[in-house]
Amino acid sequence: MDNSKLKALLENEIKLYEDDGINGWAEADRELCEYLGDEGFSKTILALIAENERLGRFENAYTEWSDKTEWVQASAEPRDLGKHRADVLKARIDQLRAQRDLLLEAAVLDAESIDTIRAECEALRKDGPRLAFLMQDIDGFMSGSLDRYDHTASVMAERENMAEPTPADELEGFRRCIDGAMTKEGQANG
């Protein structure tokens, strides 16, 4: 069925009824009935009702979509203007996913940083007794017979191909020097 032809016939029927009353309507109705054929009027009405119901479901879906996405329209930014709401939503979701990925990556880095900080704290905890020992008699220790360079040399001997001590070697040598002095004091006091 040609909906445009049916529409034209119905509009003509209405116009003739308005212009000529019942006589005009009867002529237009005859043309409409000829176009629709036997039982065509009833079938056409049922088809239009079915189409109206079908379109009503789309209207309901559109209304629900529109209601639930009104916030997108209300929070539109200049870059969103002229875009379909679905496109704006997709762009925002993509942006949020990218931010989530960056945050997850940062969280992994932070977990690694936490492990590094924990290791540094543990090293500092081990240095705590050494520092306490030094603070008891700093002058006597520094002027004493302990030679941190001997201990630094022992650290270097543990490594191959080292001509000059590194700051880490010197620090480790100094730690060994303190540990040695603490051991000697503990043996003398024990």
Side-chain angles (χ1 to χ4, degrees):
M1 174 183 320
D2 181 2
N3 285 344
S4 60
K5 171 81 171 166
L6 179 61
K7 181 179 178 185
L9 287 171
L10 288 169
E11 287 172 348
N12 186 43
E13 185 173 333
I14 291 169
K15 182 179 182 314
L16 288 174
Y17 179 74
E18 289 172 351
D19 293 345
D20 296 332
I22 195 76
N23 293 333
W25 174 77
E27 177 61 28
D29 192 48
R30 187 184 58 73
E31 289 179 36
L32 181 62
C33 288
E34 284 176 13
Y35 174 71
L36 296 175
D38 294 337
E39 299 179 13
F41 194 73
S42 299
K43 288 180 181 178
T44 301
I45 296 294
L46 289 174
L48 289 173
I49 290 171
E51 179 67 4
N52 193 32
E53 289 172 351
R54 186 184 77 80
L55 292 174
R57 288 190 298 271
F58 283 103
E59 182 179 20
N60 290 340
Y62 170 77
T63 300
E64 185 174 351
W65 161 264
S66 193
D67 290 347
K68 289 186 177 185
T69 59
E70 181 59 33
W71 63 271
V72 175
Q73 196 74 20
S75 65
E77 297 178 11
R79 68 174 181 259
D80 300 332
L81 298 177
K83 293 182 181 177
H84 191 282
R85 285 183 188 179
D87 295 330
V88 173
L89 281 171
K90 182 182 180 320
R92 289 183 184 182
I93 289 168
D94 290 345
Q95 181 183 15
L96 288 172
R97 284 182 176 152
Q99 289 174 348
R100 178 207 57 202
D101 292 344
L102 288 173
L103 289 172
L104 287 173
E105 186 178 310
V108 168
L109 292 176
D110 283 348
E112 292 170 359
S113 298
I114 289 171
D115 290 342
T116 301
I117 291 169
R118 283 185 179 144
E120 290 172 1
C121 286
E122 185 58 31
L124 289 172
R125 255 189 226 102
K126 289 179 182 176
D127 279 344
R130 293 180 182 123
L131 292 173
F133 175 79
L134 282 175
M135 296 308 291
Q136 289 173 5
D137 186 16
I138 191 78
D139 294 330
F141 177 75
M142 294 308 282
S143 63
S145 61
L146 296 174
D147 186 358
R148 71 182 171 101
Y149 296 106
D150 289 342
H151 292 285
T152 301
S154 72
V155 171
M156 288 179 60
E158 294 171 6
R159 300 203 178 122
E160 297 178 14
N161 302 326
M162 296 288 293
E164 293 290 323
T166 64
D169 293 333
E170 290 183 358
L171 181 60
E172 183 58 28
F174 194 61
R175 285 181 174 142
R176 288 182 186 184
C177 177
I178 295 169
D179 291 345
M182 288 171 62
T183 302
K184 284 183 183 177
E185 183 175 298
Q187 290 171 353
N189 290 337

